[in-house]
Amino acid sequence: MSTVLRLLTSRWGPIITGLIIGVLAPLLVKWGNPGNMGICMACFARDIAGALGLHNAGVVQYIRPEIIGGLLGSFVAALVFREFRPRTGSAPLVRFLLGMFAMFGALVFLGCPWRAYLRLSGGDLNAVFGVLGLIAGIGIGIVFLKTGYSLGRNRPAPKALGWIMPAVMILLLVFLLVEPQFGRDAAGSPAGPVFFSEKGPGAMYAPIAVSLAVGLVIGFLAQRSRFCTVGAIRDTILLRDNHLLNGVLALIVAAFVTNLILGQFNPGFNGQPVAHTDGLWNFGGMVLAGLAFTLAGGCPGRQLFLAGEGDGDAAMFFAGMLVGGGFAHTFSIASSPAGVAAFGPATIIIGLVVCIVIGLTMRTASE
Amino acid sequence: MLSRQALQKLSKGTLQVIVDNSTARENVSRIANSLGWEIDIEERSEGEIRLLLTK
């Protein structure tokens, strides 16, 4: 056991983590999650936003236990291995904005980087444009990293700060299990405060205990191995260091094989689950997401696990994702299987401008 | 990032890098290793790790 734990912090760590995610994610689909959506940080944050009434897209409202488990798994790993270090103060407001725009980009594509790779391994060829966009976005971010972009260093914070996100996750779990309802409005629709889809992707989910357990395992492994689906590409280009990339490749291969075995591999462009075929905006959405993730220092999964370790700035990024998930639907930004939404493309352009301004202006202030 | 630039400028010598978390320790060690530097790690007070890189 201790050997396995030590392996996790070696070069093998991301590979082991990627393999396990690659097997578990398609299994979650088999057990009830939407197609090619075993794990998707953006989709799941959006579902949670909907469940909390931040948007009223009735088909995507559910409190996803994978997110709760992911953060708590990382929290436990950090506590056990003495890496629980509450900290904050590295431009939290900018991180909130980056989280929001990363979310807009991801929801125009219909998936975070995790799901981009999972869609690819399920045969969804639209994801090729998404992954290319992701690489392009990360490439733009690297230009800023090389020219002195930095959100500045964080500072140690009181222990209590690090307990806020785990407490929020426990509260979400209570909401999920109790399903509090304030009755029905005049039209007979549920009045909230928590909403759950009755049809659509939000009504497709694996059993709560299974989803939670998978989340816990992934959170634990990813905290130890620093698995990151954006850092993978960033480090390969910037540092010629492919140890994180190996993790992503392991994920894609494992998910591909698992999908084949489960009969979930359906190659093609049309009729893919929770996807659209607009190549330009599949690409564009992920350029924005990739840039925003790079400027924030990691993929949405990594942000979630950092928040579990006590990183208050990563928690702000996640809060931005939740709020962005709400706006993405109320402002008609998020795509649907029918195609891009009315304000999706315009939002991508605005988001790119905002991110470029952030990239150009955020420099470490001299002390 | 900054450490790598510093390491690439120096062809040999000694470089002291102070990091504040174990992720950064692993990152700097990995980069230094791949560039052929010897690494000496010293855990100082809580939240501060000193890496002595020599070549």
Side-chain angles (χ1 to χ4, degrees), chain A residues 307-334:
Chain A
E309 282 181 19
D311 185 335
D313 299 320
M316 282 303 285
F317 184 93
F318 186 74
M321 283 180 62
L322 272 186
V323 173
F327 285 154
H329 286 275
T330 53
F331 280 68
S332 196
I333 295 166

Side-chain angles (χ1 to χ4, degrees), chain B residues 6-53:
Chain B
L7 283 179
Q8 282 181 323
K9 269 186 216 140
L10 287 169
S11 52
K12 61 182 180 185
T14 306
L15 185 73
Q16 175 178 302
V17 183
I18 295 171
V19 297
D20 65 350
N21 63 72
S22 45
T23 307
R25 180 193 65 208
E26 290 154 19
N27 290 342
V28 173
S29 308
R30 205 178 323 103
I31 292 165
N33 221 335
S34 70
L35 294 173
W37 291 69
E38 298 268 334
I39 307 154
D40 186 38
I41 298 174
E42 184 192 337
E43 304 255 351
R44 297 217 284 207
S45 58
E46 175 146 359
E48 192 179 294
I49 305 160
R50 192 183 67 148
L51 301 157
L52 208 58
L53 312 174

